[in-house]
Amino acid sequence: MDTPTLIGLYRDMWLIRAFEQGLEREFEKGNVPGMLHTGLGQEATQAALAHHLKASDTFFPDHRCHGINALAQHRYGGDGERIMAELFGKATGVCSGKGGSLHSADPNVGNFGDNAVEGSYMATVLGVALAAKIRSQPNVACAIIGDGTVGRGEFHESLNMAAIWDLPVLYACVNNGYAISMPVGEGHASADIVDMVKGYGIPTRQLDGNHVIEAAEEVGEAVEHIRSGKGPYFLEFKTWRWQGIFAGEFRPEAEVKYWREDHDPIMLATEALAERGVSQSELYTVEQEVKELIEEWISFAMESPSPDPAKATADVYVGWEVATR
Amino acid sequence: MDTPTLIGLYRDMWLIRAFEQGLEREFEKGNVPGMLHTGLGQEATQAALAHHLKASDTFFPDHRCHGINALAQHRYGGDGERIMAELFGKATGVCSGKGGSLHSADPNVGNFGDNAVEGSYMATVLGVALAAKIRSQPNVACAIIGDGTVGRGEFHESLNMAAIWDLPVLYACVNNGYAISMPVGEGHASADIVDMVKGYGIPTRQLDGNHVIEAAEEVGEAVEHIRSGKGPYFLEFKTWRWQGIFAGEFRPEAEVKYWREDHDPIMLATEALAERGVSQSELYTVEQEVKELIEEWISFAMESPSPDPAKATADVYVGWEVATR
Amino acid sequence: MTDTDTVPAKPARRERKPRQSDKVRKTSFTQALNNALDLAMAKHDEMFVIGEDIAEMGGDFGVTKGLFNKYGGERVRDTPLSEAAIIGTCAGAAMVGMRPVAEIMFADFLGECYDQIVNNVAKMHYMFDGQFTAPLVIRTACGGGFGGGPHHSQSVEGWFLNVPGIVIVAPSNPVDAKGLLLASIDSDDPVLFLEHKALYRSRAEVPPDYYTTPLGTAAVAREGSDVTVVASMRMVPMALAAAEKASEQGVSVEVVDLRTIRPYDADTVLSSAAKTGRVVVANEAPKIGGLGSELSARISEECFSELSGPVVRVDGLDTPIPFSVPLEEVVLPDEAAVSAAIAIAAQY
Amino acid sequence: MTDTDTVPAKPARRERKPRQSDKVRKTSFTQALNNALDLAMAKHDEMFVIGEDIAEMGGDFGVTKGLFNKYGGERVRDTPLSEAAIIGTCAGAAMVGMRPVAEIMFADFLGECYDQIVNNVAKMHYMFDGQFTAPLVIRTACGGGFGGGPHHSQSVEGWFLNVPGIVIVAPSNPVDAKGLLLASIDSDDPVLFLEHKALYRSRAEVPPDYYTTPLGTAAVAREGSDVTVVASMRMVPMALAAAEKASEQGVSVEVVDLRTIRPYDADTVLSSAAKTGRVVVANEAPKIGGLGSELSARISEECFSELSGPVVRVDGLDTPIPFSVPLEEVVLPDEAAVSAAIAIAAQY
Ligand SMILES: Cc1ncc(C[n+]2csc(CCOP(=O)(O)OP(=O)(O)O)c2C)c(N)n1
Ligand SMILES: Cc1ncc(C[n+]2csc(CCOP(=O)(O)OP(=O)(O)O)c2C)c(N)n1
Ligand SMILES: [Mg+2]
Ligand SMILES: [Mg+2]
């Protein structure tokens, strides 16, 4: 990977981090309604995926994917602020505030939206991929799933069907070690999700999801494989989320230290860039630019109007109006 | 395996075959309502399973399991005719005719009933097994599933949960090569179901389901493993069903010949018994006895009364009556 | 098996001919559906058909027969027993502009893909602010009366009645079956298309061309002035037969065939109810929480001053469907039950 | 958050005290449920609790807090995200005489285990001729009003209303929550136990001992003579508040808290309706095909001559639940909507 590319990924990771930290701050102030799950700590995985997905590809983000949503929106739509506005439930959001954190979508940038029934889109992704195959389009359909989500039966139905039909599906499993409070090794027959994939004859790789260089290179290979018509591919990213559970941190202290201090994806990238001779100040500038951008997005979201009440009853059906009160 | 045991299995296989052939005959005459799926051709697998399951064990039969249902009922209840009567929808049936072919159950003989939503009991079996584990009972909970049924998401949820909790579940997968018209290798990532099981760390065996000696020995080992508290076990029986699909036979001629003529489980057992010096006439006597028994069961079923109409509204709830017309 | 030949807007009284020649001349419900699929495949390049055993085998009930040979495996696609993945596949394909038609072999199996239908298919147009549509059709065989037992006999419209975003279509005869299926495939809303198994062999003269029966419109299957019977699917031929008998006793019965269950044609239902002032609502599903409750409530509220007496409901009993035929007969409503309800209503 | 302290049979008017001391003295809905589970675990050796994050973590809403420490991991069991397997496990365990209580974190996820509930749990007692019972309880958090969006806010009783064999329980206050949960666990029928999220923090004086509130019995939460409001869950405190306001305008409102939705207490509902002759039915779920339809139909049919005017329904709009709070407020019914309905009914 060349240095400009790495600097780009560094910027992307900072965009994700600043987005989530800004969001967290506003959530605590009460400006963001509903629930909040952040992708803090998982920036390298998301940046690596976003790096290789085109606007003509499709991704199904999960509940921690504000970052990848924002990156795609910023890159292909030029309006990343509309992801922020969606989370604030505003009229300017990508779904006019109807979807929120768990259902932000914009097909123009490849974002097909989360399904907050975790993992249901392991089934939906098949259809997007099948359509691409029928139409001979070299598109990738990517499902981003957590380790916990792997517990769902659709995991099997999806892998099996993608395998028998050679569908262009990229399974991106973000193994951050826990599903809420359930450690991956207790919730699954194997703590290594790839073990449960082997029987399907789908190429699988397990990788360090916090090393953005490795992650981006592996995603690149997977995407190349899929685009060239060779069928599905399964990537397991080992990573870790900063956000604990409700009652606070419950994970072992050494684990917390390892991931937050010794294995922070941005720090790892900073080190790699330093080795290549990129100056601290150049990186600092990148960081500051991105942070300012995010503050602009937050202001945009804050200042945006609430959705028109008529939106509440719009688009239930295409062919019918529904009654108002 | 000693010769008396093998003769016993031979008898069991004939019981299954005679049961199904008698049933088929009566179905064609219009005496058996609803749909009919038979286990013809799969007698060795069913006899092998029934041989090792005690009344205190549990099995969930599938739609081709009239034979194992009848064997268990005959052996532990002394009233195999009540399985026949159930299929005729009669008051004397094990469920008073309310369940029929797809829902015949008698917990006293270990038969917990089919769920005609194929494979749903891959989830249910977990609970029976968990109860045995909590109560420290050395019971086996067995789910008999077809190769097609493996397509269901519950396959994954069940294997995973049985694995993490070390539950005493015996998965008996009857791979007869097809799910209605779908060949196993086209419906699944692998034509060998065991491949998809490997990732769960559950011991698996694939075996010839038409060789009753091999099948019974393998079932014995699996049951022994489970009873001794070592957790779940997965058996894949390669076999073949005589019954085609609606429009008649669609499978290749050579395949039909192989399974029906060269690999008939009863013929294979006959040969093995002949090698051990058991006379043709002794075997003929066994066959005739069983056939007579089945005709008695059919007469019993035919002569039994229809269920009391009051049964139609009984047992919807334990705590409430439901309205009649 | 019931034999009907009602046409969408107006009922044409059937000429009684020898059964044999009927069969030669007329088209079965199954064939009408098959013909609709064929015409739609030819019209919509973006359409594909998917389900278990629907390709070479032509489906458990023969509805997809011949399509595989004509359109090939890419557009007529067999699946494993993976109902959630079947509907998920349709949903995803619909999101990118395809027009999938799924077959779920028995309606009872919709439980397997309930989440996909209710939380994904029915909501995606709304929750993503109109950015996606879900123009898919889920065809499925429902209903009892053939000894199918508790998992092959259910009437499932009640499972989806309270779910905004889904369209539920329920034809009662071959002509509507074809027109409604074509309209469902043309529609940009997701449709749950219910095919009552007892109707598959019913026959009628079905126009060979491409025509659509508008979704959301009920049909007055028979005009009358004393009592209205609102029915759908298999209850329609029963209602028509009961109406015929009632007319012999001097009671003039209007039969409204709902055809679309959600969103239903309240105008037609309410104007018939207001006209006669005496209403019977007939459904095969259990009474509590069923379509009959919805219709009875709506009619009772909106025709409060026009009603001469309470709405009378005929339904299945509040039980699962038992296997044994004599028990099933106790549980399911029959023509006699409809007649009895008409007699009660007529007295008001 | 609503604060209620109605008791099962008769309403005790709340003494207004400073909020702070209220909290010290009274028990929350969540705590009442937690206490019920604790008492039931102690009573029933055969009971276990199962679900996602319910052990060490105590559940997403804290309802199972402390049980793991007290009863251990064998009886308080965390699972992976496998809703079908969770309910399957309960069903199987119930078949051999255990008494499982499952937590499905959000009611919206019941779609994942719909087949298990509808085709297995609800039918097993019937289809196997009474040889099995399914004494399991499925606890789940339902309802909107907190910006949870389309997959965390649904009222799901309509999904199960047309399903014979299942019991649906829906408490409106902490006292009933405890008594109904204990009755549900004691019951040999399978219970879907709905916990409205907006009620979790409501508080009341809850008796500390083991008591049961009989399933299938409604409560007259407030007596009145002019208008009856039939409600459940969160609509009950809204109805009580609206009733209070109506009384200031001289309209005497009776509030019936359904408590059990299936099979529901028709006697209490119908006798109140017959008494007042003016009825409002209030539900959070969409109107079409919902509980309101069932109640309105039943009341309209059985109280035909007693009704002064049509039943008035207050419901959620026929839409999914949008994320944005101002939109959600449009969709969900509020106290003002109940008041408006009372005003309409009172005029008849
Ligand atoms: C079907 C379903 N079950 C349960 C939940 C509740 N839930 C939301 S996130 C979550 C944990 C998911 O874990 P994982 O997939 O590992 O994602 P992570 O939060 O660790 O990124 C759960 C149980 C849900 N949304 N959907
Ligand atoms: C969930 C579900 N989907 C579909 C069906 C319809 N069906 C009944 S048997 C069958 C094929 C099952 O194949 P397999 O498991 O291999 O059993 P076999 O008939 O070959 O013994 C199908 C699709 C069903 N009963 N349940
Ligand atoms: Mg995780
Ligand atoms: Mg098979």
Side-chain angles (χ1 to χ4, degrees):
Chain A
M1 181 180 293
D2 61 25
T3 301
T5 304
L6 183 54
I7 294 178
L9 286 166
Y10 180 84
R11 178 187 300 272
D12 292 347
M13 289 196 289
W14 258 117
L15 189 140
I16 297 171
R17 181 160 298 175
F19 189 102
E20 296 286 36
Q21 287 180 328
L23 192 63
E24 219 167 40
R25 185 189 71 210
E26 297 304 319
F27 184 77
E28 272 153 33
K29 284 199 240 162
N31 291 329
V32 177
M35 298 162 290
L36 189 71
H37 315 85
T38 72
L40 289 169
Q42 306 181 171
E43 295 86 354
T45 293
Q46 294 194 19
L49 284 166
H51 187 68
H52 289 284
L53 292 172
K54 302 183 185 173
S56 51
D57 293 325
T58 289
F59 65 94
F60 288 90
D62 83 354
H63 54 295
R64 297 196 187 279
C65 282
H66 313 129
I68 194 168
N69 295 349
L71 271 181
Q73 200 70 36
H74 183 52
R75 183 168 293 153
Y76 301 121
D79 52 359
E81 67 275 16
R82 294 182 59 225
I83 292 292
M84 190 65 83
E86 184 63 29
L87 301 175
F88 281 67
K90 294 303 183 69
T92 52
V94 288
C95 298
S96 303
K98 287 171 86 168
S101 154
L102 296 171
H103 311 272
S104 307
D106 182 349
N108 298 316
V109 307
N111 179 356
F112 273 43
D114 187 11
N115 182 320
V117 187
E118 292 297 329
S120 289
Y121 53 68
M122 288 190 283
T124 321
V125 73
L126 297 168
V128 175
L130 178 61
K133 196 173 182 225
I134 289 177
R135 293 163 166 169
S136 305
Q137 294 164 329
N139 297 352
V140 173
C142 174
I144 303 172
I145 52 172
D147 53 285
T149 303
V150 163
R152 291 279 309 280
E154 280 80 351
F155 176 77
H156 167 64
E157 296 196 8
S158 182
L159 288 174
N160 187 49
M161 220 124 118
I164 59 175
W165 292 344
D166 275 330
L167 297 180
V169 179
L170 173 58
Y171 295 94
C173 179
V174 182
N175 184 350
N176 59 16
Y178 298 87
I180 306 187
S181 69
M182 172 70 99
V184 58
E186 288 178 30
H188 302 299
S190 170
D192 298 304
I193 303 297
V194 287
D195 286 348
M196 285 183 286
V197 180
K198 281 178 188 149
Y200 300 92
I202 294 175
T204 57
R205 291 280 181 289
Q206 192 181 53
L207 52 123
D208 184 336
N210 280 19
H211 262 297
V212 77
I213 301 174
E214 178 188 344
E217 280 169 358
E218 292 276 7
V219 172
E221 269 179 46
V223 164
E224 176 51 34
H225 170 99
I226 296 167
R227 272 201 220 293
S228 63
K230 293 190 191 139
Y233 206 102
F234 192 101
L235 291 174
E236 176 183 356
F237 300 86
K238 291 270 191 189
T239 181
W240 197 84
R241 58 174 151 83
W242 287 9
Q243 200 175 35
I245 57 167
F246 298 45
E249 193 50 79
F250 67 107
R251 296 164 294 187
E253 215 172 295
E255 182 182 312
V256 177
K257 180 176 175 308
Y258 171 77
W259 287 101
R260 285 197 74 134
E261 294 173 25
D262 307 339
H263 215 67
D264 171 354
I266 291 187
M267 191 202 68
L268 294 174
T270 308
E271 283 169 8
L273 286 161
E275 267 170 41
R276 292 170 183 224
V278 180
S279 74
Q280 286 280 352
S281 73
E282 184 176 343
L283 294 180
Y284 185 73
T285 308
V286 168
E287 179 184 334
Q288 289 312 311
E289 279 171 11
V290 166
K291 285 183 169 168
E292 275 164 36
L293 183 66
I294 295 297
E295 292 307 323
E296 283 169 28
W297 292 2
I298 290 174
S299 304
F300 173 82
M302 291 287 286
E303 286 154 22
S304 289
S306 282
D308 178 351
K311 277 276 180 195
T313 46
D315 295 323
V316 178
Y317 291 98
V318 177
W320 290 268
E321 301 288 313
V322 303
T324 53
R325 208 170 294 284
Chain B
M1 180 179 295
D2 62 24
T3 300
T5 303
L6 183 53
I7 294 178
L9 286 165
Y10 180 84
R11 177 188 300 271
D12 292 347
M13 289 197 289
W14 258 116
L15 189 141
I16 297 172
R17 180 160 299 175
F19 190 102
E20 296 286 37
Q21 288 180 326
L23 192 62
E24 218 167 39
R25 185 189 72 211
E26 297 304 319
F27 183 77
E28 271 153 32
K29 283 198 241 162
N31 291 329
V32 178
M35 297 161 291
L36 189 70
H37 315 85
T38 72
L40 289 168
Q42 306 180 170
E43 295 86 354
T45 292
Q46 294 194 19
L49 284 166
H51 187 68
H52 290 284
L53 292 172
K54 302 183 186 172
S56 52
D57 293 324
T58 288
F59 64 94
F60 289 88
D62 83 355
H63 53 295
R64 298 197 186 279
C65 282
H66 312 128
I68 194 168
N69 294 350
L71 271 182
Q73 200 69 35
H74 182 53
R75 183 169 292 151
Y76 300 122
D79 51 0
E81 66 275 15
R82 293 183 60 226
I83 292 291
M84 189 65 84
E86 184 63 29
L87 301 175
F88 281 68
K90 294 302 183 72
T92 53
V94 288
C95 297
S96 303
K98 287 171 86 167
S101 155
L102 296 170
H103 312 272
S104 307
D106 182 349
N108 297 316
V109 307
N111 179 357
F112 273 41
D114 186 12
N115 182 319
V117 187
E118 292 297 329
S120 289
Y121 53 67
M122 288 190 282
T124 322
V125 72
L126 296 167
V128 175
L130 177 61
K133 195 173 183 226
I134 290 177
R135 292 164 167 168
S136 305
Q137 293 163 331
N139 297 351
V140 173
C142 174
I144 304 172
I145 52 172
D147 53 284
T149 303
V150 163
R152 290 279 309 278
E154 280 80 351
F155 176 77
H156 167 64
E157 296 197 9
S158 181
L159 288 173
N160 188 48
M161 220 124 119
I164 60 175
W165 292 344
D166 275 330
L167 298 180
V169 179
L170 172 58
Y171 295 94
C173 178
V174 182
N175 183 351
N176 59 15
Y178 297 88
I180 305 186
S181 69
M182 172 70 98
V184 59
E186 288 179 29
H188 303 300
S190 170
D192 298 304
I193 303 298
V194 288
D195 286 348
M196 285 184 286
V197 179
K198 281 178 188 149
Y200 300 93
I202 294 175
T204 57
R205 291 280 180 289
Q206 191 181 55
L207 52 123
D208 184 335
N210 279 19
H211 262 297
V212 77
I213 300 175
E214 177 188 343
E217 280 169 359
E218 292 276 8
V219 172
E221 268 179 48
V223 164
E224 176 51 33
H225 169 99
I226 296 167
R227 272 201 220 294
S228 63
K230 294 189 192 139
Y233 206 102
F234 193 101
L235 291 174
E236 176 184 355
F237 300 87
K238 291 269 192 190
T239 181
W240 198 83
R241 59 174 150 84
W242 287 9
Q243 200 175 35
I245 58 166
F246 298 45
E249 192 51 79
F250 68 105
R251 295 165 294 188
E253 215 172 295
E255 181 182 313
V256 177
K257 180 177 175 308
Y258 171 77
W259 287 102
R260 286 197 74 134
E261 293 173 26
D262 308 340
H263 215 68
D264 171 354
I266 291 188
M267 191 202 68
L268 295 173
T270 308
E271 284 169 6
L273 285 161
E275 268 171 37
R276 293 169 182 225
V278 179
S279 74
Q280 287 279 352
S281 74
E282 183 177 342
L283 293 182
Y284 185 72
T285 307
V286 168
E287 178 182 335
Q288 288 312 311
E289 278 171 12
V290 167
K291 285 184 170 168
E292 274 164 37
L293 183 66
I294 295 299
E295 292 307 322
E296 282 169 28
W297 291 3
I298 291 174
S299 303
F300 172 83
M302 291 287 287
E303 285 154 22
S304 289
S306 282
D308 178 351
K311 277 276 179 195
T313 46
D315 296 323
V316 177
Y317 291 98
V318 177
W320 291 269
E321 300 288 314
V322 304
T324 52
R325 209 168 295 283
Chain C
M1 254 355 100
T2 321
D3 197 356
T4 64
D5 61 359
T6 55
V7 292
K10 261 196 195 165
R13 194 64 53 79
R14 183 172 62 200
E15 268 182 52
R16 276 266 159 225
K17 296 219 175 137
R19 213 151 213 298
Q20 195 52 33
S21 74
D22 260 28
K23 284 212 173 136
V24 173
R25 202 171 40 83
K26 294 185 173 180
T27 306
S28 75
F29 195 95
T30 307
Q31 289 162 345
L33 293 169
N34 180 259
N35 177 227
L37 290 173
D38 187 7
L39 292 172
M41 292 284 282
K43 176 182 169 191
H44 296 288
D45 285 344
E46 301 296 289
M47 175 178 158
F48 63 85
V49 180
I50 187 169
E52 292 157 25
D53 307 293
I54 57 122
E56 275 116 318
M57 195 179 113
D60 214 36
F61 297 96
V63 175
T64 58
K65 220 168 243 169
L67 299 177
F68 175 78
N69 285 341
K70 191 160 173 188
Y71 298 101
E74 199 75 349
R75 295 183 64 196
V76 182
R77 190 171 283 264
D78 270 344
T79 70
L81 276 85
S82 308
E83 282 79 10
I86 292 171
I87 303 303
T89 299
C90 292
M95 289 174 100
V96 291
M98 309 240 5
R99 213 165 265 282
V101 177
E103 173 172 308
I104 297 295
M105 197 182 284
F106 285 81
D108 312 67
F109 312 155
L110 289 169
E112 292 311 320
C113 42
Y114 194 80
D115 165 67
Q116 280 292 332
I117 298 174
V118 165
N119 284 325
N120 192 16
V121 169
K123 292 184 176 50
M124 76 168 66
H125 186 58
Y126 182 87
M127 71 186 177
F128 297 128
D129 195 33
Q131 295 181 104
F132 297 100
T133 55
L136 59 101
V137 179
I138 304 167
R139 295 181 35 249
T140 192
C142 68
F146 73 110
H151 287 166
H152 286 81
S153 307
Q154 292 174 84
S155 294
V156 300
E157 56 275 20
W159 298 1
F160 298 94
L161 261 189
N162 202 218
V163 178
I166 194 85
V167 179
I168 309 175
V169 173
S172 73
N173 64 70
V175 175
D176 282 354
K178 178 174 170 182
L180 289 168
L181 183 51
L182 285 169
S184 298
I185 295 168
D186 284 354
S187 162
D188 285 334
D189 285 305
V191 175
L192 177 63
F193 193 90
L194 302 175
E195 304 170 2
H196 195 296
K197 294 184 281 290
L199 297 173
Y200 274 136
R201 291 196 220 159
S202 67
R203 290 179 174 267
E205 273 177 63
V206 176
D209 50 315
Y210 197 110
Y211 65 92
T212 58
T213 305
L215 303 187
T217 64
V220 178
R222 176 194 168 105
E223 285 182 25
S225 51
D226 297 329
V227 175
T228 296
V229 181
V230 186
S232 58
M233 293 189 279
R234 195 194 188 184
M235 300 310 294
V236 175
M238 282 187 196
L240 290 170
E244 194 59 39
K245 292 215 180 109
S247 80
E248 289 160 19
Q249 261 122 56
V251 178
S252 166
V253 176
E254 179 147 308
V255 177
V256 175
D257 180 351
L258 212 50
R259 302 200 300 195
T260 298
I261 287 177
R262 187 184 229 280
Y264 62 89
D265 181 354
D267 286 349
T268 300
V269 170
L270 295 174
S271 61
S272 179
K275 180 176 81 172
T276 61
R278 297 174 199 89
V279 186
V280 171
V281 176
N283 288 287
E284 185 172 315
K287 179 172 298 185
I288 297 169
L291 172 61
S293 306
E294 169 60 32
L295 294 171
S296 172
R298 186 78 177 265
I299 294 164
S300 299
E301 292 168 12
E302 302 209 18
C303 302
F304 186 79
S305 34
E306 288 92 347
L307 286 183
S308 310
V311 173
V312 182
R313 279 192 270 168
V314 187
D315 311 83
L317 297 183
D318 200 40
T319 75
I321 312 290
F323 167 72
S324 184
V325 173
L327 297 184
E328 192 182 15
E329 284 168 0
V330 174
V331 162
L332 296 184
D334 56 11
E335 191 193 307
V338 181
S339 288
I342 291 172
I344 292 171
Q347 284 177 345
Y348 294 133
Chain D
M1 255 354 101
T2 322
D3 197 357
T4 63
D5 63 357
T6 55
V7 291
K10 261 195 194 167
R13 194 64 52 83
R14 183 172 62 200
E15 266 182 52
R16 276 263 158 227
K17 295 218 175 140
R19 215 152 209 297
Q20 196 52 32
S21 74
D22 261 29
K23 284 212 174 136
V24 174
R25 201 171 41 83
K26 295 186 172 180
T27 306
S28 74
F29 195 96
T30 307
Q31 290 162 343
L33 292 169
N34 180 258
N35 178 229
L37 290 173
D38 187 7
L39 293 172
M41 292 284 282
K43 176 182 168 190
H44 295 288
D45 285 344
E46 302 296 290
M47 174 177 158
F48 63 87
V49 180
I50 187 170
E52 292 158 24
D53 307 292
I54 58 123
E56 276 116 317
M57 193 178 116
D60 213 36
F61 297 95
V63 176
T64 59
K65 221 168 242 170
L67 298 177
F68 175 79
N69 285 340
K70 191 159 173 188
Y71 299 101
E74 198 76 349
R75 294 183 65 198
V76 182
R77 190 171 282 265
D78 271 344
T79 70
L81 275 85
S82 308
E83 282 78 9
I86 292 171
I87 303 304
T89 299
C90 292
M95 289 175 101
V96 291
M98 311 247 353
R99 216 164 264 280
V101 176
E103 173 171 308
I104 297 295
M105 198 181 284
F106 285 81
D108 312 68
F109 312 155
L110 289 170
E112 292 311 319
C113 42
Y114 193 81
D115 166 67
Q116 280 292 331
I117 298 173
V118 165
N119 284 325
N120 191 16
V121 168
K123 292 183 177 49
M124 76 167 64
H125 187 58
Y126 182 87
M127 71 185 178
F128 298 128
D129 195 32
Q131 295 181 104
F132 298 101
T133 55
L136 59 102
V137 179
I138 304 168
R139 295 181 37 249
T140 192
C142 68
F146 73 110
H151 288 166
H152 286 82
S153 307
Q154 292 174 84
S155 294
V156 301
E157 57 275 20
W159 299 1
F160 298 94
L161 261 190
N162 201 219
V163 178
I166 194 84
V167 180
I168 309 174
V169 174
S172 73
N173 63 69
V175 176
D176 283 354
K178 177 174 170 181
L180 288 168
L181 183 51
L182 285 168
S184 298
I185 296 168
D186 284 353
S187 163
D188 285 334
D189 284 306
V191 175
L192 177 64
F193 192 90
L194 302 175
E195 304 170 2
H196 196 295
K197 293 184 282 289
L199 297 174
Y200 274 135
R201 292 196 220 158
S202 67
R203 290 179 174 266
E205 274 177 63
V206 176
D209 49 315
Y210 197 111
Y211 64 92
T212 58
T213 305
L215 303 186
T217 64
V220 177
R222 175 194 168 104
E223 284 182 26
S225 52
D226 298 329
V227 174
T228 296
V229 181
V230 187
S232 59
M233 295 190 278
R234 195 194 186 182
M235 300 311 293
V236 175
M238 281 187 198
L240 289 170
E244 194 59 39
K245 293 215 178 109
S247 80
E248 288 160 19
Q249 261 121 57
V251 178
S252 165
V253 176
E254 178 146 309
V255 177
V256 176
D257 179 352
L258 212 51
R259 302 200 298 195
T260 298
I261 286 178
R262 189 183 226 280
Y264 63 88
D265 180 354
D267 287 349
T268 300
V269 170
L270 295 174
S271 62
S272 179
K275 181 175 82 173
T276 62
R278 297 174 198 87
V279 185
V280 171
V281 176
N283 288 287
E284 185 173 313
K287 177 172 299 184
I288 296 169
L291 173 60
S293 305
E294 170 60 31
L295 294 170
S296 172
R298 187 78 177 266
I299 293 165
S300 300
E301 293 168 13
E302 303 210 16
C303 303
F304 186 78
S305 36
E306 288 91 347
L307 287 183
S308 310
V311 173
V312 182
R313 280 192 269 168
V314 186
D315 311 84
L317 297 183
D318 200 40
T319 75
I321 312 289
F323 167 72
S324 184
V325 173
L327 296 185
E328 191 181 17
E329 284 168 1
V330 173
V331 162
L332 296 184
D334 56 10
E335 192 193 306
V338 181
S339 289
I342 291 173
I344 292 171
Q347 285 177 344
Y348 295 133

